[in-house]
């Protein structure tokens, strides 16, 4: 069939071909397919790339109409809602300058330059104006201008931040989006009109340096979120409220786990209870790594020569704590920000045979990284932290078996806490060391090893470490939030840089491969995640205080001490509440401290040698012989049971 000069053909995802008039848009195509699709259409995927519904279709293109069922639609909805936020702000507060408004996980933000701070009342007013903008159903239209015209346009608009973007981010043609009289620099795509915006909520205001640099001006950042249905929005807000209730910073104080002091910014003080938590995690890792691992300790302070050899002095120095050499007067030393180079030095201090490999060094030393003060946040972003660091030195033919071993180890460890992980394979980043031949070799080896596990994984192009590809473990907590924790990184570069070698079967030196492995990441961040995951109600094996003995009267104090001693002798972490408070107050205090078990003791229990067991979760469980309780509790701890 011949095609008219005034028409073009496009292909649909099902392989069918449609003829449409030349100049037709994706909206026209959707309308020609059916009124329901025309109503539901939000944007289009043309030859695999997203574009606005109003953009003309090229001849021969493969076109997919995108509706809200497509996951990418939610991101575009949120991006368009960010634009509506900025329009509302500039309508309500003339003279406000706009920065940037990208989509982020679970929402969006927009940065504003305004002398007066936004208040909670202002956020409510902005939301109300956004609803007016939705009601206006303004067409969201893209206009492409030559770069010089775009810059001149934003100069007339007196928008300095948009001038920056048009100058530095724009191509020869700069795309501008207009809705009504309001315009913004943006690459798009966007929904067809403001009337397509649905359920949204502005959440908070925070300060943010322009372009993330402390050297730049502090702007005001409004955070928000948006969904296609009110029900989805309300569920998200419920989860946010639950996350606030579980905030590790609040619970850490209430449960007396850790504190911070302004004289040691970014370094946690662990209380007695918090130290128990840290030690239990350390002991668990040590127990699991008793076979096949070699725990070592290395210095905390190194001369710059080490960091020059590793490459950190040139690429990472601003994140390191430099120390003044009293003899030279120069900052020639640094506290270590990671363990890798020290493990290389230790490996090189001895001659190793191929029969020894793989050699696995683990270290639990404290590390220091000079995070900017504005980025510090509870335990999740600190300057001093402890890692369960492991580096494996192995032959190339051992990679597949070692990756399988490490993957099983990491997933089994997370299962102890009821955490499940998804795997991501990250490939070479734009900024990296080593040539493409080395990267081809490393990526091929790690991909093959990962695929040999049979586990599903997501590809993350360009997200690898600067020295090698990696497998990352994203862990979902009880609220469904994802945390990037464990990692397996394959490194061919460090052995070359540090001239690492082992003696092969042929008695000649050979180059090993290095695997960087972490499970918790940092103990500080992992504990923060666990606090929020469990809402502070840790399982019995992990709880800082496992049992609290509660005598009803002073007459039961002597028996209470015998019960406490018996629990301690069994290995349980136990306290005796000797206060003269009523039993109801004692139980309430133990509940607030989220103690897994309370043993209530009166005259009857003392006479019978029993304990009235009260569970944090199940309430009153009745009286049982003391030894029965001890046996059951000890078994739950031994098994690291989630539900005792």
């Amino acid at each position: 069939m011949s095609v008219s000069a005034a028409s073009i053909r496009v292909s649909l995802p099902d392989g069918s071909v449609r003829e449409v008039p030349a100049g037709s848009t994706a909206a026209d195509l959707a309308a020609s397919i059916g009124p329901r699709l025309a109503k539901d259409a939000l944007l289009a995927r043309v030859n695999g790339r997203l574009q606005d519904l109003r953009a003309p279709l090229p001849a021969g293109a493969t076109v997919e109409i995108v509706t809200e069922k497509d996951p990418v639609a939610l991101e575009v909805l949120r991006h368009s809602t960010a634009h509506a936020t900025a329009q509302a702000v500039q309508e309500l507060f003339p003279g406000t300058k706009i920065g940037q408004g990208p989509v982020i996980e679970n929402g969006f933000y927009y940065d504003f330059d305004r002398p007066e701070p936004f208040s909670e009342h202002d956020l409510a007013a902005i939301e109300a104006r956004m609803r007016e903008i939705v009601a206006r159903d303004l067409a969201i239209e893209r206009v492409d201008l030559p770069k010089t015209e775009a810059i001149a346009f934003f100069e007339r608009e007196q928008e300095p931040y948009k001038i920056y973007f048009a100058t530095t981010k724009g191509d020869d043609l700069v795309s501008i989006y207009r809705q009504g009289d309001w315009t913004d620099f943006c690459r798009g795509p966007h929904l067809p009109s403001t009337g397509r915006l649905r359920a949204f909520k502005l959440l908070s205001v925070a300060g943010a340096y322009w372009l993330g640099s402390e050297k730049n001006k502090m702007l005001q950042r409004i955070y928000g979120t948006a969904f296609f249905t009110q029900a989805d929005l309300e569920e998200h807000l419920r989860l946010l409220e639950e996350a606030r209730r579980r905030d590790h910073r609040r619970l850490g104080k209430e449960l007396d786990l850790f504190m911070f002091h302004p004289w040691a910014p970014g370094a946690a003080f662990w209380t007695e209870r918090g130290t128990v938590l840290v030690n239990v995690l350390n002991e668990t890792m040590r127990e699991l790594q008793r076979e096949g691992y070699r725990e070592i300790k290395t210095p905390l302070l190194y001369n710059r020569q080490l960091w020059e050899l590793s490459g950190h002095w040139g690429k990472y120095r601003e994140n390191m704590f430099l120390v003044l050499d009293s003899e030279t007067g120069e900052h020639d030393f640094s506290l270590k920000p990671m363990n890798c180079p020290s493990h290389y030095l230790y490996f090189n201090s001895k001659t190793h045979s191929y029969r020894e490999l793989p050699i696995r060094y683990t270290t639990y030393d404290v590390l220091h990284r000079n995070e900017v003060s504005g980025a510090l946040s509870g335990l999740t972003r600190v300057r001093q932290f402890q890692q369960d660091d492991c580096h494996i030195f192995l032959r190339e033919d051992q990679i597949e078996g070692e990756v399988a071993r490490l993957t099983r180890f990491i997933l089994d460890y997370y299962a102890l806490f009821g955490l499940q992980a998804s795997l991501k394979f990250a490939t070479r980043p734009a900024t990296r060391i080593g040539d493409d031949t080395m990267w081809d070799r490393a990526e091929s080896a790690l991909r093959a090893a990962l695929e040999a596990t049979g586990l599903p994984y997501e590809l993350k192009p360009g997200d690898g470490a600067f020295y090698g590809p990696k497998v990352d473990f994203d862990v979902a907590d009880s609220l469904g939030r994802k945390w990037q924790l464990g990692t397996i990184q394959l490194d061919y570069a460090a052995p070359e840089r540090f001239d690492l070698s082992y003696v092969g079967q042929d008695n000649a030196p050979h180059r090993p491969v290095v695997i960087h492995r972490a499970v918790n990441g940092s103990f500080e961040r992992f504990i923060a995640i666990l606090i929020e995951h469990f809402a502070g109600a840790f399982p019995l094996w992990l709880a800082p205080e496992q049992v609290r003995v509660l005598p009803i009267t002073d007459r039961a104090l002597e028996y209470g001490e015998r019960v406490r001693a018996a629990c301690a002798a069994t290995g349980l972490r136990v306290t005796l509440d000797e206060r003269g408070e009523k039993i109801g107050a004692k139980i309430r205090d133990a509940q607030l401290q989220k103690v897994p078990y309370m043993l209530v003791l009166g005259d009857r229990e003392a006479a019978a040698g029993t304990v009235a067991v009260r569970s944090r979760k199940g309430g009153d469980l009745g009286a049982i012989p003391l030894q029965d309780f001890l046996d059951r509790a000890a078994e739950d701890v031994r098994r690291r049971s989630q539900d005792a």
Side-chain angles (χ1 to χ4, degrees):
M1 183 178 74
S2 63
V3 180
S4 165
S7 64
I8 60 172
R9 285 181 174 179
V10 295
S11 299
L12 301 181
D14 63 2
S16 62
V17 177
R18 297 185 73 89
E19 184 176 334
V20 296
S24 292
T25 65
D28 297 327
L29 175 63
S32 72
I33 295 173
R36 177 63 183 270
L37 185 60
K39 179 182 177 183
D40 294 342
L42 297 175
L43 56 154
R45 192 175 280 109
V46 180
N47 293 331
R49 297 185 63 180
L50 293 174
Q51 70 175 45
D52 301 312
L53 277 180
R54 291 191 177 88
L57 297 173
T62 298
V63 183
E64 178 185 0
I65 303 300
V66 176
T67 69
E68 66 183 60
K69 295 179 181 179
D70 192 309
V72 76
L74 186 57
E75 293 186 17
V76 177
L77 171 76
R78 288 170 174 167
H79 195 182
S80 296
T81 308
H83 276 216
T85 304
Q87 181 178 2
V89 166
Q90 290 199 306
E91 288 184 0
L92 289 171
F93 308 101
T96 300
K97 306 304 179 186
I98 53 177
Q100 59 183 334
V103 173
I104 57 175
E105 185 177 9
N106 295 322
F108 62 87
Y109 69 76
Y110 214 108
D111 290 340
F112 300 96
D113 186 353
R114 176 172 178 258
E116 301 82 9
F118 290 113
S119 65
E120 289 295 322
H121 175 77
D122 291 335
L123 288 189
I126 295 166
E127 265 192 38
R129 180 57 63 93
M130 290 169 67
R131 293 189 182 92
E132 291 180 21
I133 292 170
V134 172
R136 295 176 208 165
D137 195 19
L138 303 172
I140 303 177
E141 300 172 303
R142 174 176 175 139
V143 179
D144 290 325
L145 297 176
K147 176 173 283 196
T148 54
E149 290 185 26
I151 294 171
F153 173 81
F154 286 119
E155 286 174 343
R156 291 192 300 272
E157 294 286 306
Q158 297 183 336
E159 290 287 1
Y161 304 104
K162 296 305 173 182
I163 294 171
Y164 168 83
F165 283 129
T167 303
T168 61
K169 304 293 184 182
D171 300 321
D172 292 338
L173 281 180
V174 174
S175 56
I176 294 175
Y177 276 83
R178 175 182 291 118
Q179 47 198 55
D181 295 329
W182 186 83
T183 54
D184 193 3
F185 166 89
C186 187
R187 290 176 172 171
H190 281 280
L191 301 185
S193 75
T194 62
R196 306 299 291 272
L197 303 182
R198 304 288 180 83
F200 51 81
K201 179 71 177 175
L202 300 184
L203 301 172
S204 61
V205 182
Y209 290 109
W210 168 239
L211 301 180
S213 172
E214 287 182 299
K215 298 177 182 179
N216 293 334
K217 186 173 185 179
M218 176 74 77
L219 306 181
Q220 295 187 70
R221 176 169 293 177
I222 294 180
Y223 287 95
T225 191
F227 291 87
F228 281 109
T229 70
Q230 188 65 27
D232 286 344
L233 173 61
E234 290 174 359
E235 173 61 13
H236 179 72
L237 296 178
R238 184 192 70 78
L239 290 175
L240 287 180
E241 183 56 38
E242 180 64 17
R244 281 189 284 271
R245 187 181 73 82
R246 293 170 178 248
D247 191 313
H248 76 278
R249 292 165 295 188
R250 181 177 68 82
L251 287 175
K253 184 176 181 179
E254 291 178 2
L255 300 178
D256 190 27
L257 298 176
F258 62 88
M259 60 165 273
F260 288 92
H261 193 281
W263 290 352
F269 287 73
W270 293 102
T271 66
E272 295 92 332
R273 298 169 69 88
T275 299
V276 168
L277 200 56
V278 174
N279 287 341
V280 170
L281 290 176
N282 268 285
E283 290 159 7
T284 300
M285 286 300 296
R286 282 191 167 96
E287 178 184 333
L288 296 174
Q289 296 183 147
R290 192 161 290 139
E291 292 294 328
Y293 293 83
R294 308 180 188 188
E295 182 178 345
I296 63 174
K297 294 185 71 65
T298 62
L300 302 183
L301 186 67
Y302 290 90
N303 186 279
R304 64 184 290 175
Q305 290 175 293
L306 173 66
W307 309 116
E308 287 173 341
L309 180 59
S310 68
H312 289 95
W313 197 260
K315 295 179 178 293
Y316 198 73
R317 184 170 42 178
E318 64 182 18
N319 301 108
M320 298 163 66
F321 279 102
L322 306 184
V323 179
L324 192 69
D325 186 331
S326 59
E327 295 182 1
T328 66
E330 300 291 335
H331 287 93
D332 286 338
F333 288 82
S334 171
L335 294 170
K336 64 179 178 182
M338 61 270 299
N339 288 303
C340 331
S342 62
H343 284 187
Y344 306 150
L345 294 184
Y346 187 77
F347 180 87
N348 251 1
S349 68
K350 301 177 182 179
T351 300
H352 300 283
S353 164
Y354 71 96
R355 293 188 180 92
E356 292 182 73
L357 305 184
I359 293 175
R360 306 178 186 94
Y361 293 140
T362 63
T363 293
Y364 301 95
D365 289 343
V366 168
L367 302 174
H368 292 84
R369 294 180 187 174
N370 192 12
E371 302 280 359
V372 296
S373 58
L376 301 178
S377 178
L379 295 176
T380 58
R381 197 73 176 268
V382 290
R383 287 174 170 168
Q384 176 184 292
F385 58 97
Q386 181 184 339
Q387 276 192 327
D388 58 320
D389 228 351
C390 179
H391 292 92
I392 299 102
F393 301 81
L394 68 165
R395 305 189 308 268
E396 198 163 17
D397 64 288
Q398 295 173 316
I399 292 173
E400 181 175 311
E402 189 64 17
V403 168
R405 184 183 195 276
L406 295 175
T407 300
R408 285 195 304 272
F409 182 94
I410 294 171
L411 295 177
D412 288 348
Y413 180 78
Y414 294 150
L416 296 177
F417 309 95
L419 297 169
Q420 293 185 328
S422 55
L423 279 59
K424 296 183 177 179
F425 177 57
T427 59
R428 70 193 75 183
T431 302
R432 57 185 182 268
I433 60 176
D435 57 25
D436 286 341
T437 300
M438 184 204 79
W439 276 91
D440 290 343
R441 187 178 171 193
E443 288 178 354
S444 176
L446 187 57
R447 186 193 294 268
L450 178 57
E451 291 182 347
T453 67
L455 295 170
Y457 65 88
E458 177 186 346
L459 184 63
K460 297 288 286 184
D463 205 36
F466 73 89
Y467 48 77
K470 59 179 180 170
V471 178
D472 285 334
F473 293 75
D474 279 7
V475 173
D477 66 12
S478 56
L479 296 184
R481 298 172 301 180
K482 293 289 185 71
W483 305 87
Q484 198 279 301
L485 287 179
T487 187
I488 298 172
Q489 303 173 354
L490 191 60
D491 188 348
Y492 281 78
E496 292 289 339
R497 188 181 286 263
F498 280 81
D499 193 25
L500 305 181
S501 67
Y502 66 90
V503 178
Q505 195 169 6
D506 57 0
N507 287 323
H510 293 265
R511 193 74 74 202
V513 183
V514 170
I515 290 180
H516 306 247
R517 187 231 67 186
V519 183
N520 293 300
S522 78
F523 280 96
E524 283 77 4
R525 185 166 175 265
F526 189 61
I527 288 174
I529 292 168
L530 291 182
I531 292 171
E532 298 187 4
H533 173 63
F534 290 116
F538 300 108
L540 181 67
W541 71 274
L542 189 59
E545 181 184 357
Q546 296 169 320
V547 180
R548 188 173 294 186
V549 180
L550 307 177
I552 296 175
T553 65
D554 288 347
R555 293 191 305 276
L557 277 174
E558 182 182 347
Y559 179 56
E561 172 55 30
R562 295 206 306 271
V563 170
R564 186 208 64 76
C567 289
T570 306
L572 295 171
R573 296 184 287 275
V574 57
T575 59
L576 171 64
D577 189 341
E578 300 178 278
R579 298 175 302 159
E581 299 283 349
K582 292 182 178 179
I583 191 63
K586 291 183 177 183
I587 291 173
R588 183 171 60 254
D589 289 346
Q591 286 283 162
L592 289 174
Q593 285 296 300
K594 302 184 186 294
V595 180
Y597 284 117
M598 292 144 273
L599 303 183
V600 181
L601 309 179
D603 294 338
R604 183 184 307 169
E605 287 77 22
T610 61
V611 289
V613 182
R614 186 175 185 86
S615 162
R616 174 186 65 201
K617 185 176 179 181
D620 188 2
L621 303 181
I624 62 173
L626 172 59
Q627 192 58 49
D628 286 359
F629 170 77
L630 296 176
D631 291 343
R632 295 178 192 177
E635 178 63 13
D636 283 336
V637 171
R638 187 192 67 79
R639 293 189 296 110
R640 297 190 178 97
S641 172
Q642 287 293 306
D643 291 311

